[in-house]
Amino acid sequence: MQEKLTLMIPGPTPVPEKVLKALGKHPIGHRSGEFQALVEKTTSQLKWLHQTTNDVLTITGSGTAAMEAGIINTLSRGDKVICGENGKFGERWTKVAKAYGLNVEVIKSPWGKPLNPESFKQILESDKNKDIRAVIMTHSETSTGVLNNLQAITQHVKEHGNALTIADCVTSLGACNVPMDEWGIDVIASGSQKGYMIPPGLSFLAMSERAWDAQQKSDLPKFYLDLESYRKTAAKNSNPFTPAVNLYFALEEALNMMQEEGLSSIFKRHTRHRDAAQAGMKAIGLQLFAEEGHGSPAITAVAPQNIDAEELRKAVKEKFDILLAGGQDHLKGKVFRIGHLGFVNDRDVLAAVAAIESTLSYLKLNNSVLGSGVAAASKVLNGF
Ligand SMILES: *Cc1c(COP(=O)(O)O)cnc(C)c1O
């Protein structure tokens, strides 16, 4: 039943009815006063979401556009940067940095394990000449379901004094606490199809004053993603090019909903859903992929032993119209991922757990007692 499809993937995420309706409005002129008012409002809402007084710019493009913009506007050819890699999205940062000729040193952790803040501390402390210009990392590593310790790493970068912290917060923003100013993060990239509860097409870049200082010196080539032009036009609540006007309607509506719910309630909801999904999977006898205690509030990666994760995922989709995400790269067939990011409620999480255990039973792949996953997840949701 196509119309019943429930997205439980880490983007695109489900879109609320109100937001869908906002999208369906007739477009307005992007140089009109009406649109300027919309930019003014959503910009202040975005600052609220980032917990910052810094600029937050909206770019028409996917999350990767904001990531690339974050690099090419703050760094220069040959700059030394440290990239943290413990999954697919960390690897993407390295690829972007190398594409622009940066001098990249990679700090790795195995997929499923968190980045080790101590490794960053050591490299930063031994950089006596202060050559390192940026530490670049992913907060919530969507490919493995690991939440990295952005706060601790940012603290080490601040102690270094010269480097910027550039963070991919695509699946952490709107799922857990990312207080930009309090932690002192310099650049935060995010995308609309994740915690924002709107379709793909917009990305967001928050820039600290230190990041803008670096922008003045940056010599990497850029045109569409030149933030100078975004900053100038943002001062007039406008945009350098034609933005995805209808997505701004959706953005306003979604941010209204988020403000009604409140940041702490949003974070609590995501944490509960993570805990419920984890408990459910463990009770069914399935192994979690992320190291214990480091699971992302946005996504739970599951590594079922001796079970083809793709076969299970496809059967869940066919039987229940619930779309789970597969494993990426070498994890294909070994891992499936339950997205619980954005417009997700208790029913969605319970339904996903139930669908997984029912499908395992149908495929005769599991001998745990049917219902044990739902029981464990319910306990968490009920606060027991
Ligand atoms: C989804 C995602 C992105 C952005 O991907 P796009 O396809 O460019 O929107 C970046 N980082 C992480 C961690 C993500 O989950």
Side-chain angles (χ1 to χ4, degrees):
M1 272 175 100
Q2 183 60 33
E3 294 293 313
K4 269 287 199 191
L5 181 69
T6 298
L7 293 173
M8 297 289 288
I9 58 174
T13 60
V15 179
E17 192 87 9
K18 265 189 198 168
V19 177
L20 287 173
K21 286 203 173 118
L23 274 170
K25 281 200 276 191
H26 204 285
I28 56 175
H30 64 292
R31 301 290 177 222
S32 64
E34 204 183 343
F35 188 68
Q36 281 173 324
L38 188 56
V39 173
E40 187 174 11
K41 173 153 182 219
T42 52
T43 300
S44 81
Q45 291 176 309
L46 287 166
K47 289 183 183 190
W48 165 82
L49 179 63
H50 288 75
Q51 304 180 57
T52 188
T53 55
N54 291 316
D55 289 318
V56 186
L57 302 167
T58 304
I59 299 167
T60 294
S62 84
T64 308
M67 292 169 69
E68 183 158 336
I71 291 207
I72 63 182
N73 285 278
T74 56
L75 297 163
S76 295
R77 234 175 282 263
D79 273 358
K80 175 153 188 189
V81 299
I82 308 295
C83 286
E85 252 187 46
N86 58 337
K88 181 95 180 156
F89 291 97
E91 286 178 359
R92 182 172 299 177
W93 270 134
T94 304
K95 283 183 187 163
V96 177
K98 285 191 171 159
Y100 284 95
L102 300 179
N103 172 10
V104 183
E105 185 167 342
V106 176
I107 294 185
K108 279 192 202 213
S109 281
W111 288 38
K113 301 256 184 302
L115 293 170
N116 181 2
E118 277 307 304
S119 314
F120 289 82
K121 184 173 185 225
Q122 276 170 19
I123 284 200
L124 288 160
E125 276 182 354
S126 62
D127 179 33
K128 300 293 178 217
N129 295 335
K130 306 287 177 198
D131 288 329
I132 298 171
R133 293 276 167 245
V135 169
I136 307 172
M137 63 172 285
T138 310
H139 189 196
S140 164
E141 180 44 87
T142 314
S143 62
T144 63
V146 166
L147 186 71
N148 286 313
N149 194 342
L150 175 60
Q151 182 181 12
I153 295 171
T154 303
Q155 186 57 40
H156 297 319
V157 178
K158 281 202 311 206
E159 280 153 16
H160 175 273
N162 233 1
L164 299 173
T165 304
I166 301 179
D168 169 345
C169 294
V170 178
T171 55
S172 59
L173 203 75
C176 61
N177 197 24
V178 190
M180 180 178 194
D181 294 359
E182 188 191 322
W183 289 1
I185 309 163
D186 295 295
V187 179
I188 293 182
S190 63
S192 60
Q193 79 276 28
K194 310 281 174 125
Y196 289 90
M197 311 186 289
I198 72 177
L202 293 180
S203 58
F204 309 93
L205 199 65
M207 296 266 291
S208 72
E209 268 319 308
R210 293 179 67 232
W212 284 118
D213 290 344
Q215 183 265 342
Q216 292 296 311
K217 293 175 219 127
S218 159
D219 70 359
L220 294 175
K222 48 200 165 264
F223 180 74
Y224 181 75
L225 294 176
D226 186 348
L227 294 182
E228 182 90 51
S229 60
Y230 284 83
R231 190 184 209 190
K232 262 192 201 146
T233 48
K236 290 176 265 166
N237 294 312
S238 189
N239 237 277
F241 312 107
T242 312
V245 170
N246 288 52
L247 286 172
Y248 275 77
F249 297 148
L251 177 65
E252 182 195 16
E253 204 58 66
L255 288 168
N256 285 345
M257 285 177 67
M258 290 174 92
Q259 289 190 318
E260 266 165 43
E261 187 176 357
L263 283 181
S264 69
S265 304
I266 293 173
F267 303 154
K268 270 189 207 140
R269 174 165 59 83
H270 283 83
T271 305
R272 280 173 70 242
H273 288 164
R274 173 198 62 200
D275 293 348
Q278 288 187 352
M281 291 304 103
K282 283 199 224 165
I284 304 172
L286 301 183
Q287 214 165 300
L288 301 178
F289 186 72
E291 189 173 292
E292 182 86 40
H294 298 277
S296 165
I299 180 146
T300 298
V302 186
Q305 305 298 296
N306 308 315
I307 290 174
D308 181 347
E310 277 306 281
E311 185 191 353
L312 173 62
R313 196 171 77 81
K314 284 184 184 138
V316 168
K317 162 91 187 336
E318 258 162 45
K319 286 173 64 65
F320 294 101
D321 296 295
I322 295 176
L323 186 66
L324 303 169
Q328 292 176 286
D329 291 349
H330 63 277
L331 296 182
K332 195 163 177 80
K334 297 200 172 78
V335 159
F336 69 86
R337 295 171 298 152
I338 309 167
H340 32 79
L341 171 61
F343 189 53
V344 172
N345 67 4
D346 290 9
R347 180 184 68 194
D348 296 323
V349 174
L350 274 187
V353 172
I356 290 163
E357 63 181 338
S358 173
T359 304
L360 281 169
S361 157
Y362 170 77
L363 296 171
K364 300 196 168 50
L365 287 173
N366 194 293
N367 12 355
S368 70
V369 180
L370 200 51
S372 51
V374 168
S378 302
K379 273 191 189 162
V380 173
L381 296 174
N382 291 334
F384 301 155

